[in-house]
Amino acid sequence: MGKIEMKAQLMVLPYAPEALEPVISRETIAFHHGKHLAAYVNNLNGLLPGTEWEGMALEEIVCKATGGVLNNAGQILNHELYFGQFCAPKAENQPAGRLAEAIVRDFGSFDAFKEAFQKAGATLFGSGWVWLSADKDGKLVITQEANAANPVQKGLTPLLTFDVWEHAYYLDYQNRRPDHLAALWQIVDWNVVANRFA
Ligand code: MN
């Protein structure tokens, strides 16, 4: 008993694999969630037994570990936040309430925020993630994180992320990373993001 509960689990998607089309295809979801994320889960479960990391929360592992444990735990945490923040496409999709007010306060407008976020994603060299996070005072910040890094390593609370590893978009958009990033706004579930900010 117990040991099974300590294993990392492949998250269950909160939507059908075709639900995000045409922004993200069923095929991309099948590879991204069913192959890439599953591999990180299997890798971590192969690395943890008998180590100090066994049974530790992902966030804590990501802040303390190095090497393969850090890389696989980071990718699991990143993808759980990523896949957990989407919903079926909406034409007029934008945040509301306290989160919307904070975006206007810290970036000038929702459009200015989107532009800055997309630019950070488009200009991130190589593989990584662009993030919207809140600092200790609730101020919103955009960061670029390379490879498997996560803003929790900087003491930030991650709210929203776009994956700019090529596996996230290559089947649907090939080299057109900026087009992929621009399309993702249609499927952001702002209720999820607002709950992370609460
Ligand atoms: Mn990915």
Side-chain angles (χ1 to χ4, degrees):
M1 282 299 279
K3 284 205 166 174
I4 289 172
E5 290 162 27
M6 290 182 189
K7 277 188 172 292
Q9 303 282 341
L10 178 61
M11 71 177 288
V12 177
L13 292 174
Y15 38 74
E18 69 277 12
L20 308 183
E21 292 184 342
V23 177
I24 299 176
S25 70
R26 180 192 185 105
E27 186 183 25
T28 289
I29 292 290
F31 279 98
H32 198 180
H33 174 266
K35 301 294 183 187
H36 289 278
L37 177 53
Y40 297 127
V41 170
N42 290 336
N43 290 344
L44 188 66
N45 284 332
L47 292 169
L48 290 189
T51 71
E52 62 189 296
W53 315 112
E54 202 171 9
M56 198 178 280
L58 279 176
E59 287 85 350
E60 194 175 359
I61 296 175
V62 167
C63 288
K64 295 178 177 173
T66 57
V69 172
L70 170 61
N71 288 337
N72 287 286
Q75 285 293 75
I76 296 168
L77 178 60
N78 293 350
H79 285 93
E80 288 185 353
L81 290 163
Y82 174 79
F83 285 120
Q85 67 185 9
F86 292 136
C87 60
K90 295 179 194 169
E92 295 293 326
N93 192 24
Q94 52 188 348
R98 204 169 68 85
L99 175 62
E101 290 166 12
I103 287 173
V104 172
R105 179 194 67 205
D106 294 333
F107 300 103
S109 68
F110 181 53
D111 284 342
F113 158 70
K114 288 197 294 183
E115 187 179 334
F117 195 84
Q118 282 177 226
K119 186 178 178 188
T123 58
L124 195 163
F125 185 77
S127 296
W129 303 74
V130 57
W131 295 86
L132 174 69
S133 300
D135 73 10
K136 292 274 187 275
D137 301 318
K139 179 179 163 51
L140 300 179
V141 292
I142 294 170
T143 63
Q144 297 172 318
E145 307 292 344
N147 299 317
N150 184 291
V152 295
Q153 296 166 314
K154 299 171 175 171
L156 299 169
T157 300
L159 306 176
L160 171 74
T161 188
F162 288 177
D163 185 348
V164 299
W165 285 59
E166 284 187 345
H167 68 224
Y169 59 86
Y170 215 83
L171 290 174
D172 299 332
Y173 297 83
Q174 295 79 49
N175 61 312
R176 291 172 286 116
R177 186 197 287 185
D179 292 350
H180 171 67
L181 297 175
L184 285 175
W185 299 115
Q186 298 171 58
I187 60 169
V188 173
D189 187 336
W190 288 105
N191 290 324
V192 171
V193 180
N195 286 337
R196 291 173 182 171
F197 184 51

